[in-house]
Amino acid sequence: MGGTTGTPDTNDWADEVGKFKCKECTQASDSRCSSFYLDSVVAGGGVKAAFCNDANLVIVSDGSPGFTPNLEDIPNPPGSFDSDGNACKTRIWSTAKPIVHKIPVEGKYTLYETGDRLNNQNTDSFPSGAADAEDGYLSSASRGSYGLPTRGAVGVSVKGQIIFPVFNNRAELTPEACEVDSCNEHVGGGGGSPHLHGDPWGSHCLYSEANYTSVDAHPPVIGFALDGPSIYGRHLSESAPGYDVALDACGGHDEGGRGYHYHSQVKAARTDEGVTEPTLSSGVEYPAFPPGVDECYRGNLASIEGFWDKAGDKDTYSLPCCGSTHYWVADGITIDGAGVRDASNPNPSPPPSPPPPSPPFPPPSPPPSPP
C-alpha cells in the first residue's frame, strides 16, 4: 500500500530556477503566456516558476499535486490485489525532485489531420520506436499500439503535477492494474512525487464541481499537454458548451473558438483476465478516467523542435527571454534577466456600450395660421 506524505523538501528552488540563464529572444504571444493568465490558472501548488520564451511555455515544479493525496485510497473494484495476488501498490511519496515541463506555444506545433491512435507511431516522433522507453511508443502484442510514450509523461497539471497516460507501460489501464488511488495517481518506481494516470477529479483532488461556474459551464483548464494543446476537465452536463462535439480518439476536439484542446473524461472499461486480482472475473465493467490525452497525441511530435531535449538548465528550449515581463514565480524566486512584471489583463472586457443617443428634441410646432 502507499503512504500519503513526502519527506521534507530540501531543494534550493531559487538556485534551481536561477540556473536557467536568459537568452536573447522575444516572448511568445500565446494567450497562455501572460502574467494575468499564469496568475489565475497556473500559480501555486508545486509550481516554482512559469514563463514563456519564444517557443515554449516552461513550468518548473517539484511535481507535487497541489492537494493532499491519499495514496491508500485505492478504488475497488476493479480489485485490491494485482495479478500475482499482491496488495495494490501506490508507493510512498519520497523527496520532491525538480522537473522542467515544456509546452510548445501556438505556431510551434502542428496537428495531425485526424485523431488516431496510429499518430506518431514512427521513429521521427518516438526515436526508440515501439520500445519500453521514455522516447518509445506504447505497444503490446495482446493490446495493440498507441501513439503515446511507454514510460514518459503526456502533460502537466496546472499545479505542476506530471500527467502520464491512463495506461501503464504494459498498455494496461492503470485502475484495472490496481496501481492508482482515487485521484488517479501513484508514485512511480523511481520515487519522487505522485504523478497522475487519470483525471484528478474529486473534492479532495485537483478539481471538482466547485471549480465550475455552473454544471452547464465549459470545464476549467486543468493542465497542458506536452504536444501543445491545453487540457480541460470533464463535462458535467449535456448542456455544457462543446459537449455535443465528439472527442476524437486522442481525447480532444476543436470547438467554441478555443482551438483544438483535450478533455479529461469518464469511459466504461471491462476487466481483462490476467490483469486484475485472480478472484475477479473478466468482463466486469468499471470506470476509467483518461486525463485528457487518451489513446494518442493529436500533435505531431516530429513538428516540435527540441521535443526530446531534456538537458534542463543547458536546454536552450527552456531558457527565459532576457527582459521577460510576463511570468509567475513563487516567493523568494527570481527569473534570470527578467524585467518589470506586467500583470495587466491583455484582453480586458470591453467597457459597456454607451446608451444610444436620445433623439433630438422636436422643435415646437408652428403657431396655427390666422383664419
mmCIF file of all heavy atoms in Angstrom, residues 141-186:
data_model
loop_
_atom_site.group_PDB
_atom_site.id
_atom_site.type_symbol
_atom_site.label_atom_id
_atom_site.label_comp_id
_atom_site.label_asym_id
_atom_site.label_seq_id
_atom_site.Cartn_x
_atom_site.Cartn_y
_atom_site.Cartn_z
ATOM 1 N N ALA A 141 1.700 -6.817 -27.587
ATOM 2 C CA ALA A 141 1.277 -7.855 -28.531
ATOM 3 C C ALA A 141 -0.194 -8.203 -28.369
ATOM 4 O O ALA A 141 -0.881 -8.514 -29.338
ATOM 5 C CB ALA A 141 2.141 -9.105 -28.346
ATOM 6 N N SER A 142 -0.702 -8.119 -27.132
ATOM 7 C CA SER A 142 -2.089 -8.504 -26.874
ATOM 8 C C SER A 142 -3.057 -7.323 -26.867
ATOM 9 O O SER A 142 -4.258 -7.505 -27.059
ATOM 10 C CB SER A 142 -2.193 -9.249 -25.544
ATOM 11 O OG SER A 142 -1.739 -8.432 -24.476
ATOM 12 N N ARG A 143 -2.543 -6.090 -26.649
ATOM 13 C CA ARG A 143 -3.442 -4.937 -26.501
ATOM 14 C C ARG A 143 -3.245 -3.870 -27.577
ATOM 15 O O ARG A 143 -3.912 -2.849 -27.569
ATOM 16 C CB ARG A 143 -3.259 -4.318 -25.114
ATOM 17 C CG ARG A 143 -3.629 -5.295 -23.993
ATOM 18 C CD ARG A 143 -3.435 -4.691 -22.612
ATOM 19 N NE ARG A 143 -3.791 -5.656 -21.604
ATOM 20 C CZ ARG A 143 -2.969 -6.580 -21.125
ATOM 21 N NH1 ARG A 143 -1.721 -6.626 -21.540
ATOM 22 N NH2 ARG A 143 -3.374 -7.440 -20.213
ATOM 23 N N GLY A 144 -2.313 -4.094 -28.479
ATOM 24 C CA GLY A 144 -2.133 -3.159 -29.577
ATOM 25 C C GLY A 144 -1.167 -2.035 -29.244
ATOM 26 O O GLY A 144 -0.524 -2.017 -28.195
ATOM 27 N N SER A 145 -1.075 -1.074 -30.160
ATOM 28 C CA SER A 145 -0.144 0.037 -30.028
ATOM 29 C C SER A 145 -0.894 1.358 -29.908
ATOM 30 O O SER A 145 -2.003 1.506 -30.427
ATOM 31 C CB SER A 145 0.791 0.096 -31.238
ATOM 32 O OG SER A 145 1.571 -1.081 -31.326
ATOM 33 N N TYR A 146 -0.249 2.309 -29.246
ATOM 34 C CA TYR A 146 -0.826 3.631 -29.037
ATOM 35 C C TYR A 146 0.232 4.691 -29.332
ATOM 36 O O TYR A 146 1.420 4.478 -29.071
ATOM 37 C CB TYR A 146 -1.319 3.798 -27.595
ATOM 38 C CG TYR A 146 -2.404 2.835 -27.190
ATOM 39 C CD1 TYR A 146 -2.091 1.573 -26.683
ATOM 40 C CD2 TYR A 146 -3.742 3.191 -27.321
ATOM 41 C CE1 TYR A 146 -3.094 0.682 -26.316
ATOM 42 C CE2 TYR A 146 -4.750 2.300 -26.950
ATOM 43 C CZ TYR A 146 -4.427 1.055 -26.455
ATOM 44 O OH TYR A 146 -5.419 0.179 -26.096
ATOM 45 N N GLY A 147 -0.217 5.835 -29.834
ATOM 46 C CA GLY A 147 0.703 6.941 -30.089
ATOM 47 C C GLY A 147 1.006 7.713 -28.832
ATOM 48 O O GLY A 147 0.819 8.933 -28.764
ATOM 49 N N LEU A 148 1.515 7.009 -27.825
ATOM 50 C CA LEU A 148 1.796 7.565 -26.502
ATOM 51 C C LEU A 148 3.155 7.076 -26.032
ATOM 52 O O LEU A 148 3.615 6.002 -26.446
ATOM 53 C CB LEU A 148 0.739 7.084 -25.489
ATOM 54 C CG LEU A 148 -0.715 7.442 -25.743
ATOM 55 C CD1 LEU A 148 -1.620 6.634 -24.811
ATOM 56 C CD2 LEU A 148 -0.943 8.930 -25.536
ATOM 57 N N PRO A 149 3.812 7.806 -25.139
ATOM 58 C CA PRO A 149 5.080 7.311 -24.601
ATOM 59 C C PRO A 149 4.858 6.102 -23.697
ATOM 60 O O PRO A 149 3.898 6.056 -22.927
ATOM 61 C CB PRO A 149 5.623 8.502 -23.809
ATOM 62 C CG PRO A 149 4.410 9.303 -23.448
ATOM 63 C CD PRO A 149 3.460 9.133 -24.594
ATOM 64 N N THR A 150 5.753 5.127 -23.790
ATOM 65 C CA THR A 150 5.632 3.943 -22.947
ATOM 66 C C THR A 150 5.908 4.265 -21.492
ATOM 67 O O THR A 150 5.225 3.786 -20.595
ATOM 68 C CB THR A 150 6.605 2.851 -23.422
ATOM 69 O OG1 THR A 150 6.414 2.612 -24.809
ATOM 70 C CG2 THR A 150 6.380 1.550 -22.664
ATOM 71 N N ARG A 151 6.920 5.080 -21.247
ATOM 72 C CA ARG A 151 7.320 5.388 -19.868
ATOM 73 C C ARG A 151 7.376 6.882 -19.573
ATOM 74 O O ARG A 151 7.833 7.280 -18.506
ATOM 75 C CB ARG A 151 8.688 4.769 -19.564
ATOM 76 C CG ARG A 151 8.636 3.272 -19.357
ATOM 77 C CD ARG A 151 9.939 2.743 -18.799
ATOM 78 N NE ARG A 151 9.834 1.331 -18.477
ATOM 79 C CZ ARG A 151 9.411 0.845 -17.310
ATOM 80 N NH1 ARG A 151 9.055 1.679 -16.350
ATOM 81 N NH2 ARG A 151 9.342 -0.461 -17.093
ATOM 82 N N GLY A 152 6.928 7.708 -20.473
ATOM 83 C CA GLY A 152 7.039 9.139 -20.273
ATOM 84 C C GLY A 152 5.718 9.819 -19.998
ATOM 85 O O GLY A 152 4.640 9.229 -20.093
ATOM 86 N N ALA A 153 5.817 11.097 -19.654
ATOM 87 C CA ALA A 153 4.648 11.922 -19.378
ATOM 88 C C ALA A 153 3.981 12.363 -20.674
ATOM 89 O O ALA A 153 4.603 12.389 -21.744
ATOM 90 C CB ALA A 153 5.060 13.142 -18.568
ATOM 91 N N VAL A 154 2.701 12.737 -20.573
ATOM 92 C CA VAL A 154 1.980 13.338 -21.699
ATOM 93 C C VAL A 154 1.572 14.774 -21.392
ATOM 94 O O VAL A 154 1.105 15.494 -22.271
ATOM 95 C CB VAL A 154 0.726 12.522 -22.089
ATOM 96 C CG1 VAL A 154 1.113 11.172 -22.642
ATOM 97 C CG2 VAL A 154 -0.238 12.383 -20.903
ATOM 98 N N GLY A 155 1.752 15.211 -20.150
ATOM 99 C CA GLY A 155 1.336 16.562 -19.807
ATOM 100 C C GLY A 155 1.717 16.923 -18.389
ATOM 101 O O GLY A 155 2.411 16.182 -17.680
ATOM 102 N N VAL A 156 1.243 18.094 -17.980
ATOM 103 C CA VAL A 156 1.468 18.594 -16.628
ATOM 104 C C VAL A 156 0.196 19.303 -16.179
ATOM 105 O O VAL A 156 -0.457 19.984 -16.962
ATOM 106 C CB VAL A 156 2.684 19.544 -16.580
ATOM 107 C CG1 VAL A 156 2.527 20.699 -17.573
ATOM 108 C CG2 VAL A 156 2.907 20.109 -15.177
ATOM 109 N N SER A 157 -0.171 19.126 -14.921
ATOM 110 C CA SER A 157 -1.359 19.796 -14.407
ATOM 111 C C SER A 157 -1.064 21.272 -14.162
ATOM 112 O O SER A 157 0.093 21.703 -14.153
ATOM 113 C CB SER A 157 -1.822 19.147 -13.094
ATOM 114 O OG SER A 157 -1.047 19.616 -11.992
ATOM 115 N N VAL A 158 -2.103 22.057 -13.963
ATOM 116 C CA VAL A 158 -1.919 23.491 -13.716
ATOM 117 C C VAL A 158 -1.175 23.755 -12.414
ATOM 118 O O VAL A 158 -0.686 24.860 -12.195
ATOM 119 C CB VAL A 158 -3.274 24.233 -13.707
ATOM 120 C CG1 VAL A 158 -3.899 24.243 -15.086
ATOM 121 C CG2 VAL A 158 -4.229 23.631 -12.674
ATOM 122 N N LYS A 159 -1.060 22.763 -11.554
ATOM 123 C CA LYS A 159 -0.319 22.925 -10.299
ATOM 124 C C LYS A 159 1.031 22.232 -10.342
ATOM 125 O O LYS A 159 1.707 22.104 -9.316
ATOM 126 C CB LYS A 159 -1.152 22.396 -9.115
ATOM 127 C CG LYS A 159 -2.452 23.156 -8.913
ATOM 128 C CD LYS A 159 -2.231 24.664 -8.771
ATOM 129 C CE LYS A 159 -3.530 25.439 -8.610
ATOM 130 N NZ LYS A 159 -3.326 26.907 -8.631
ATOM 131 N N GLY A 160 1.454 21.764 -11.525
ATOM 132 C CA GLY A 160 2.801 21.239 -11.673
ATOM 133 C C GLY A 160 2.963 19.754 -11.490
ATOM 134 O O GLY A 160 4.096 19.260 -11.452
ATOM 135 N N GLN A 161 1.876 18.993 -11.384
ATOM 136 C CA GLN A 161 1.976 17.541 -11.233
ATOM 137 C C GLN A 161 2.082 16.881 -12.609
ATOM 138 O O GLN A 161 1.363 17.239 -13.546
ATOM 139 C CB GLN A 161 0.758 17.002 -10.486
ATOM 140 C CG GLN A 161 0.871 15.527 -10.101
ATOM 141 C CD GLN A 161 -0.304 15.058 -9.251
ATOM 142 O OE1 GLN A 161 -1.376 15.670 -9.260
ATOM 143 N NE2 GLN A 161 -0.122 13.976 -8.522
ATOM 144 N N ILE A 162 2.967 15.908 -12.742
ATOM 145 C CA ILE A 162 3.150 15.228 -14.019
ATOM 146 C C ILE A 162 1.918 14.397 -14.344
ATOM 147 O O ILE A 162 1.332 13.745 -13.476
ATOM 148 C CB ILE A 162 4.385 14.309 -13.979
ATOM 149 C CG1 ILE A 162 5.639 15.102 -13.633
ATOM 150 C CG2 ILE A 162 4.581 13.597 -15.313
ATOM 151 C CD1 ILE A 162 6.867 14.232 -13.432
ATOM 152 N N ILE A 163 1.539 14.391 -15.629
ATOM 153 C CA ILE A 163 0.423 13.579 -16.114
ATOM 154 C C ILE A 163 0.966 12.511 -17.058
ATOM 155 O O ILE A 163 1.611 12.826 -18.065
ATOM 156 C CB ILE A 163 -0.611 14.439 -16.860
ATOM 157 C CG1 ILE A 163 -1.148 15.556 -15.961
ATOM 158 C CG2 ILE A 163 -1.753 13.570 -17.379
ATOM 159 C CD1 ILE A 163 -2.050 16.544 -16.690
ATOM 160 N N PHE A 164 0.722 11.250 -16.727
ATOM 161 C CA PHE A 164 1.073 10.120 -17.580
ATOM 162 C C PHE A 164 -0.201 9.619 -18.277
ATOM 163 O O PHE A 164 -1.316 10.002 -17.909
ATOM 164 C CB PHE A 164 1.668 8.991 -16.733
ATOM 165 C CG PHE A 164 3.142 9.119 -16.473
ATOM 166 C CD1 PHE A 164 3.646 10.194 -15.753
ATOM 167 C CD2 PHE A 164 4.035 8.164 -16.930
ATOM 168 C CE1 PHE A 164 4.998 10.323 -15.499
ATOM 169 C CE2 PHE A 164 5.396 8.276 -16.688
ATOM 170 C CZ PHE A 164 5.881 9.349 -15.967
ATOM 171 N N PRO A 165 -0.062 8.744 -19.274
ATOM 172 C CA PRO A 165 -1.261 8.171 -19.896
ATOM 173 C C PRO A 165 -2.093 7.385 -18.893
ATOM 174 O O PRO A 165 -1.616 6.997 -17.821
ATOM 175 C CB PRO A 165 -0.683 7.237 -20.977
ATOM 176 C CG PRO A 165 0.694 7.743 -21.242
ATOM 177 C CD PRO A 165 1.182 8.275 -19.925
ATOM 178 N N VAL A 166 -3.333 7.107 -19.259
ATOM 179 C CA VAL A 166 -4.199 6.277 -18.422
ATOM 180 C C VAL A 166 -3.711 4.829 -18.406
ATOM 181 O O VAL A 166 -4.107 4.033 -17.559
ATOM 182 C CB VAL A 166 -5.664 6.351 -18.908
ATOM 183 C CG1 VAL A 166 -5.843 5.643 -20.239
ATOM 184 C CG2 VAL A 166 -6.635 5.822 -17.857
ATOM 185 N N PHE A 167 -2.796 4.494 -19.320
ATOM 186 C CA PHE A 167 -2.223 3.152 -19.400
ATOM 187 C C PHE A 167 -0.893 3.085 -18.643
ATOM 188 O O PHE A 167 -0.189 4.085 -18.517
ATOM 189 C CB PHE A 167 -1.944 2.768 -20.860
ATOM 190 C CG PHE A 167 -3.138 2.870 -21.765
ATOM 191 C CD1 PHE A 167 -3.337 4.008 -22.539
ATOM 192 C CD2 PHE A 167 -4.066 1.844 -21.848
ATOM 193 C CE1 PHE A 167 -4.432 4.117 -23.383
ATOM 194 C CE2 PHE A 167 -5.160 1.944 -22.686
ATOM 195 C CZ PHE A 167 -5.351 3.081 -23.455
ATOM 196 N N ASN A 168 -0.531 1.888 -18.189
ATOM 197 C CA ASN A 168 0.822 1.692 -17.676
ATOM 198 C C ASN A 168 1.734 1.274 -18.831
ATOM 199 O O ASN A 168 1.314 1.265 -19.996
ATOM 200 C CB ASN A 168 0.845 0.673 -16.519
ATOM 201 C CG ASN A 168 0.377 -0.726 -16.933
ATOM 202 O OD1 ASN A 168 0.355 -1.077 -18.116
ATOM 203 N ND2 ASN A 168 0.002 -1.533 -15.952
ATOM 204 N N ASN A 169 2.962 0.915 -18.531
ATOM 205 C CA ASN A 169 3.909 0.606 -19.605
ATOM 206 C C ASN A 169 3.671 -0.759 -20.244
ATOM 207 O O ASN A 169 4.394 -1.136 -21.172
ATOM 208 C CB ASN A 169 5.353 0.689 -19.082
ATOM 209 C CG ASN A 169 5.648 -0.349 -18.014
ATOM 210 O OD1 ASN A 169 4.887 -0.524 -17.069
ATOM 211 N ND2 ASN A 169 6.767 -1.034 -18.143
ATOM 212 N N ARG A 170 2.648 -1.466 -19.789
ATOM 213 C CA ARG A 170 2.250 -2.731 -20.421
ATOM 214 C C ARG A 170 0.943 -2.563 -21.197
ATOM 215 O O ARG A 170 0.324 -3.543 -21.592
ATOM 216 C CB ARG A 170 2.089 -3.830 -19.361
ATOM 217 C CG ARG A 170 3.371 -4.131 -18.603
ATOM 218 C CD ARG A 170 3.192 -5.230 -17.569
ATOM 219 N NE ARG A 170 2.214 -4.878 -16.552
ATOM 220 C CZ ARG A 170 2.468 -4.122 -15.488
ATOM 221 N NH1 ARG A 170 3.684 -3.608 -15.316
ATOM 222 N NH2 ARG A 170 1.527 -3.871 -14.590
ATOM 223 N N ALA A 171 0.519 -1.327 -21.378
ATOM 224 C CA ALA A 171 -0.716 -0.986 -22.089
ATOM 225 C C ALA A 171 -1.951 -1.466 -21.342
ATOM 226 O O ALA A 171 -3.016 -1.640 -21.940
ATOM 227 C CB ALA A 171 -0.710 -1.538 -23.520
ATOM 228 N N GLU A 172 -1.833 -1.672 -20.027
ATOM 229 C CA GLU A 172 -2.979 -1.991 -19.187
ATOM 230 C C GLU A 172 -3.545 -0.698 -18.614
ATOM 231 O O GLU A 172 -2.784 0.218 -18.280
ATOM 232 C CB GLU A 172 -2.557 -2.896 -18.025
ATOM 233 C CG GLU A 172 -1.937 -4.205 -18.447
ATOM 234 C CD GLU A 172 -1.203 -4.897 -17.306
ATOM 235 O OE1 GLU A 172 -0.984 -4.241 -16.246
ATOM 236 O OE2 GLU A 172 -0.836 -6.064 -17.472
ATOM 237 N N LEU A 173 -4.857 -0.604 -18.491
ATOM 238 C CA LEU A 173 -5.458 0.543 -17.824
ATOM 239 C C LEU A 173 -5.052 0.524 -16.353
ATOM 240 O O LEU A 173 -5.201 -0.496 -15.670
ATOM 241 C CB LEU A 173 -6.977 0.507 -17.976
ATOM 242 C CG LEU A 173 -7.502 0.801 -19.382
ATOM 243 C CD1 LEU A 173 -8.983 0.444 -19.489
ATOM 244 C CD2 LEU A 173 -7.293 2.269 -19.742
ATOM 245 N N THR A 174 -4.526 1.627 -15.862
ATOM 246 C CA THR A 174 -3.975 1.637 -14.506
ATOM 247 C C THR A 174 -4.994 1.324 -13.404
ATOM 248 O O THR A 174 -4.623 0.694 -12.416
ATOM 249 C CB THR A 174 -3.283 2.977 -14.213
ATOM 250 O OG1 THR A 174 -4.146 4.060 -14.594
ATOM 251 C CG2 THR A 174 -1.976 3.084 -14.978
ATOM 252 N N PRO A 175 -6.287 1.710 -13.526
ATOM 253 C CA PRO A 175 -7.206 1.299 -12.465
ATOM 254 C C PRO A 175 -7.353 -0.215 -12.394
ATOM 255 O O PRO A 175 -7.402 -0.797 -11.309
ATOM 256 C CB PRO A 175 -8.538 1.967 -12.861
ATOM 257 C CG PRO A 175 -8.149 3.087 -13.753
ATOM 258 C CD PRO A 175 -6.955 2.603 -14.499
ATOM 259 N N GLU A 176 -7.387 -0.868 -13.560
ATOM 260 C CA GLU A 176 -7.533 -2.317 -13.586
ATOM 261 C C GLU A 176 -6.270 -3.013 -13.093
ATOM 262 O O GLU A 176 -6.327 -4.064 -12.460
ATOM 263 C CB GLU A 176 -7.858 -2.796 -15.003
ATOM 264 C CG GLU A 176 -8.100 -4.295 -15.082
ATOM 265 C CD GLU A 176 -8.539 -4.731 -16.462
ATOM 266 O OE1 GLU A 176 -8.772 -3.870 -17.327
ATOM 267 O OE2 GLU A 176 -8.655 -5.952 -16.666
ATOM 268 N N ALA A 177 -5.132 -2.403 -13.364
ATOM 269 C CA ALA A 177 -3.864 -2.981 -12.915
ATOM 270 C C ALA A 177 -3.599 -2.688 -11.441
ATOM 271 O O ALA A 177 -2.543 -3.031 -10.915
ATOM 272 C CB ALA A 177 -2.721 -2.442 -13.762
ATOM 273 N N CYS A 178 -4.569 -2.015 -10.795
ATOM 274 C CA CYS A 178 -4.513 -1.835 -9.347
ATOM 275 C C CYS A 178 -3.339 -0.950 -8.935
ATOM 276 O O CYS A 178 -2.594 -1.272 -8.025
ATOM 277 C CB CYS A 178 -4.415 -3.215 -8.709
ATOM 278 S SG CYS A 178 -4.715 -3.302 -6.945
ATOM 279 N N GLU A 179 -3.170 0.172 -9.633
ATOM 280 C CA GLU A 179 -1.972 0.983 -9.438
ATOM 281 C C GLU A 179 -2.229 2.425 -9.029
ATOM 282 O O GLU A 179 -1.270 3.166 -8.811
ATOM 283 C CB GLU A 179 -1.145 1.014 -10.735
ATOM 284 C CG GLU A 179 -0.571 -0.332 -11.132
ATOM 285 C CD GLU A 179 0.241 -0.265 -12.405
ATOM 286 O OE1 GLU A 179 0.298 0.818 -13.035
ATOM 287 O OE2 GLU A 179 0.806 -1.289 -12.785
ATOM 288 N N VAL A 180 -3.477 2.872 -8.939
ATOM 289 C CA VAL A 180 -3.727 4.284 -8.676
ATOM 290 C C VAL A 180 -4.746 4.479 -7.558
ATOM 291 O O VAL A 180 -5.592 3.619 -7.311
ATOM 292 C CB VAL A 180 -4.213 5.021 -9.948
ATOM 293 C CG1 VAL A 180 -3.103 5.092 -10.976
ATOM 294 C CG2 VAL A 180 -5.448 4.346 -10.551
ATOM 295 N N ASP A 181 -4.652 5.650 -6.903
ATOM 296 C CA ASP A 181 -5.600 5.961 -5.842
ATOM 297 C C ASP A 181 -6.843 6.622 -6.418
ATOM 298 O O ASP A 181 -7.040 6.670 -7.634
ATOM 299 C CB ASP A 181 -4.942 6.821 -4.752
ATOM 300 C CG ASP A 181 -4.592 8.233 -5.219
ATOM 301 O OD1 ASP A 181 -4.981 8.632 -6.337
ATOM 302 O OD2 ASP A 181 -3.919 8.965 -4.463
ATOM 303 N N SER A 182 -7.710 7.152 -5.556
ATOM 304 C CA SER A 182 -8.987 7.700 -6.010
ATOM 305 C C SER A 182 -8.836 9.009 -6.782
ATOM 306 O O SER A 182 -9.792 9.469 -7.396
ATOM 307 C CB SER A 182 -9.926 7.914 -4.814
ATOM 308 O OG SER A 182 -9.311 8.742 -3.837
ATOM 309 N N CYS A 183 -7.638 9.622 -6.751
ATOM 310 C CA CYS A 183 -7.367 10.797 -7.590
ATOM 311 C C CYS A 183 -6.609 10.396 -8.851
ATOM 312 O O CYS A 183 -6.108 11.249 -9.582
ATOM 313 C CB CYS A 183 -6.564 11.841 -6.823
ATOM 314 S SG CYS A 183 -7.473 12.630 -5.467
ATOM 315 N N ASN A 184 -6.485 9.079 -9.085
ATOM 316 C CA ASN A 184 -5.810 8.523 -10.264
ATOM 317 C C ASN A 184 -4.322 8.863 -10.304
ATOM 318 O O ASN A 184 -3.782 9.261 -11.331
ATOM 319 C CB ASN A 184 -6.508 8.993 -11.550
ATOM 320 C CG ASN A 184 -7.862 8.354 -11.730
ATOM 321 O OD1 ASN A 184 -7.991 7.135 -11.852
ATOM 322 N ND2 ASN A 184 -8.913 9.183 -11.700
ATOM 323 N N GLU A 185 -3.654 8.662 -9.178
ATOM 324 C CA GLU A 185 -2.221 8.951 -9.079
ATOM 325 C C GLU A 185 -1.521 7.836 -8.317
ATOM 326 O O GLU A 185 -2.140 7.053 -7.593
ATOM 327 C CB GLU A 185 -1.999 10.284 -8.364
ATOM 328 C CG GLU A 185 -2.500 10.252 -6.940
ATOM 329 C CD GLU A 185 -2.418 11.578 -6.199
ATOM 330 O OE1 GLU A 185 -1.690 12.463 -6.652
ATOM 331 O OE2 GLU A 185 -3.076 11.692 -5.156
ATOM 332 N N HIS A 186 -0.220 7.775 -8.505
ATOM 333 C CA HIS A 186 0.647 6.922 -7.701
ATOM 334 C C HIS A 186 2.067 7.457 -7.774
ATOM 335 O O HIS A 186 2.356 8.391 -8.519
ATOM 336 C CB HIS A 186 0.570 5.448 -8.123
ATOM 337 C CG HIS A 186 1.213 5.131 -9.443
ATOM 338 N ND1 HIS A 186 1.111 3.891 -10.040
ATOM 339 C CD2 HIS A 186 1.972 5.864 -10.304
ATOM 340 C CE1 HIS A 186 1.784 3.883 -11.191
ATOM 341 N NE2 HIS A 186 2.312 5.065 -11.367
#
